[in-house]
């Protein structure tokens, strides 16, 4: 099932959507495969597979430490596709890779796209890329039938919201707060405004990330958007208590889906 069809099916049935982020290779390749499967089996409708990167400008401390650990343990970009294949062999949950663009450029955009398709991923989220500079990725995504997800932030101009929404396929990533990712005691009220702006310019689904960390917040986000994206809270749970704690946190978040 495609990313967009999951979002639309859940919305039509009155159920929210939970997108779970976890870094590939954290703390090891095999451990991350088990973590993704646990997310899928305990309430996550879509999996967001993070690519460890040495300069994660958008990521908060928890995610930074996790990706640094993966790199310290020898993670190489080729292993991203090993992780995706390992997860795909066990669950059918749609997967989107979340990657800064530099590793993709170094790997080769067409080669990366083909590897995404072959391994079983549905597409890619590119937090530091805008459609104006994404010609090769857009072309490769079309050739390989891959989703491409661009971000919209509270600071985005109307023209930028329109351009990123138009270029996105799968969903549009609405950033709820200015700044880096991480848990917030209260998901920024700007999230609702951003999601509303995205919906005003097109019919693309939009999911809200950055700051979502509780089942209550998952429920709130799904009341005005098509899905809630959670990363930091899941990684913090895993770091504190391993797979068992990750399962418990995923189920708590999923309790907000209705």
């Amino acid at each position: 099932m495609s990313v967009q069809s999951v979002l639309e099916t859940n919305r039509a049935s009155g159920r929210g959507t939970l997108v779970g982020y976890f870094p590939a290779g954290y703390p090891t390749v095999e451990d991350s495969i088990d973590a993704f499967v646990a997310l899928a089996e305990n309430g996550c409708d879509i999996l967001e597979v993070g690519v460890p990167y040495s300069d994660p400008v958008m990521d908060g401390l928890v995610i930074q430490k996790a990706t640094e650990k993966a790199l310290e343990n020898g993670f190489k970009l080729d292993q991203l596709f090993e992780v995706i294949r390992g997860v795909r062999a066990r669950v059918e949950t749609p997967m989107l890779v979340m990657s800064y663009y530099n590793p993709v450029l170094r790997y080769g955009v067409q080669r990366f796209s083909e590897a995404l398709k072959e391994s079983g991923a549905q597409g890619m989220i590119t937090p530091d890329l805008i459609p104006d500079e994404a010609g090769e990725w857009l072309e490769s995504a079309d050739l390989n039938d891959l989703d491409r997800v661009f971000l919209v932030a509270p600071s985005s101009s109307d023209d930028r919201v329109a351009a990123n929404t138009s270029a996105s396929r799968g969903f549009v990533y609405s950033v709820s707060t200015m700044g880096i990712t991480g848990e917030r005691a209260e998901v920024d009220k700007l999230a609702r405004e951003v999601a509303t702006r995205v919906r005003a310019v097109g019919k693309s689904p939009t999911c809200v990330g950055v700051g979502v960390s509780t089942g209550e917040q998952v429920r709130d986000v799904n009341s005005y958007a098509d899905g809630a994206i959670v990363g930091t809270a899941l990684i913090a749970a895993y770091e504190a208590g391993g797979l068992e704690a990750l399962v418990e946190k995923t189920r708590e978040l999923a309790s907000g889906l209705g």
Side-chain angles (χ1 to χ4, degrees), residues 22-37 49-50 52 66-67 69-88 90 238 243:
F22 201 83
Y26 171 68
T28 69
V29 166
E30 288 302 322
D31 288 334
S32 65
I33 292 173
D34 289 340
F36 282 115
V37 172
V49 184
T67 56
K69 183 68 173 178
L71 293 170
E72 288 170 6
N73 287 339
F75 179 84
K76 304 297 183 190
L77 193 55
D78 274 329
Q79 291 176 301
L80 166 68
F81 308 109
E82 180 182 338
V83 170
I84 295 169
R85 285 191 293 270
V87 176
R88 180 57 69 233
R90 295 166 61 183
Y238 186 89
L243 207 57

Side-chain angles (χ1 to χ4, degrees), residues 123-180:
M124 182 166 64
I125 302 166
T126 48
D128 61 342
L129 184 67
I130 56 175
D132 319 49
E133 301 171 357
E136 188 176 4
W137 161 235
L138 294 174
E139 182 179 349
S140 296
D142 283 342
L143 287 172
N144 292 282
D145 192 27
L146 295 169
D147 289 339
R148 60 281 183 106
V149 177
F150 293 97
L151 276 65
V152 173
S155 60
S156 298
S157 67
D158 290 344
D159 286 346
R160 175 56 56 207
V161 171
N164 287 23
T165 299
S166 176
S168 291
R169 191 171 73 184
F171 65 84
V172 180
Y173 193 129
S174 290
V175 179
S176 67
T177 58
M178 301 300 291
I180 59 176

